[in-house]
Amino acid sequence: MKNLMTILALVLTIGFANAQQGGPRQQRNPEEMAKMQIERLTKELNLSQSQQDSIHKHILVFSAEQQKVFREAGDNREEAMKSFQAIRDKQSAKIKTFLNEEQIKKYDELAQQRGGFGGQRGQRPNN
């Protein structure tokens, strides 16, 4: 379960990292975040169209929740991180309900390889 959460965290941090590399940090809307996650998961897990559609719907909801937490967090980063983790946990669990056994195994492997999505802040995964 931790591995799944880290995979989802990586997807989100990749989006934020890419935005930062281009200059000032860009805030992606939930639709853009969901699209990026679906594209990555489709590539890595060979998702069917049905899986893509189902997962996309739920990622949109979770992305909106994360953005709300981010907006409302203010200076309370510790509390925001706890909220983000809870959202990622729910998202990972929900995504797994749409995957077959082989895809779940691959999903978990990806999370483990990356030390979670993004690993620790400022560190790069060993590839």
Side-chain angles (χ1 to χ4, degrees):
M1 188 64 171
K2 265 189 171 180
N3 292 336
L4 182 60
M5 293 184 298
T6 53
I7 287 175
L8 293 175
L10 179 60
V11 168
L12 294 174
T13 54
I14 287 171
F16 287 120
N18 287 339
Q20 288 178 344
Q21 289 175 357
R25 183 175 176 176
Q26 297 173 329
Q27 187 68 24
R28 298 201 190 286
N29 67 40
E31 182 63 43
E32 291 170 325
M33 291 170 58
K35 182 180 177 194
M36 287 174 28
Q37 285 181 299
I38 286 298
E39 288 172 357
R40 176 145 178 108
L41 290 172
T42 299
K43 178 183 173 187
E44 297 286 349
L45 303 175
N46 194 28
L47 298 178
S48 69
Q49 188 61 52
S50 175
Q51 288 173 312
Q52 290 175 49
D53 294 342
S54 298
I55 293 170
H56 182 267
K57 180 175 82 171
H58 293 285
I59 288 176
L60 259 175
V61 171
F62 292 119
S63 294
E65 284 181 39
Q66 285 183 318
Q67 288 215 326
K68 181 180 177 188
V69 167
F70 182 76
R71 282 192 309 270
E72 295 174 355
D75 292 334
N76 193 351
R77 294 175 76 57
E78 185 175 320
E79 198 60 38
M81 292 309 291
K82 288 179 186 176
S83 295
F84 281 144
Q85 188 63 46
I87 293 168
R88 283 190 298 266
D89 291 348
K90 289 190 305 186
Q91 182 176 350
S92 295
K94 191 62 176 180
I95 286 173
K96 279 189 171 184
T97 66
F98 299 107
L99 303 178
N100 63 38
E101 288 182 35
E102 184 179 317
Q103 290 170 321
I104 291 171
K105 182 179 176 185
K106 178 70 174 175
Y107 190 80
D108 290 340
E109 287 173 4
L110 291 169
Q112 192 170 24
Q113 287 173 0
R114 299 183 189 280
F117 270 102
Q120 295 297 317
R121 190 169 211 181
Q123 294 179 351
R124 301 225 183 257
N126 296 328
N127 289 340

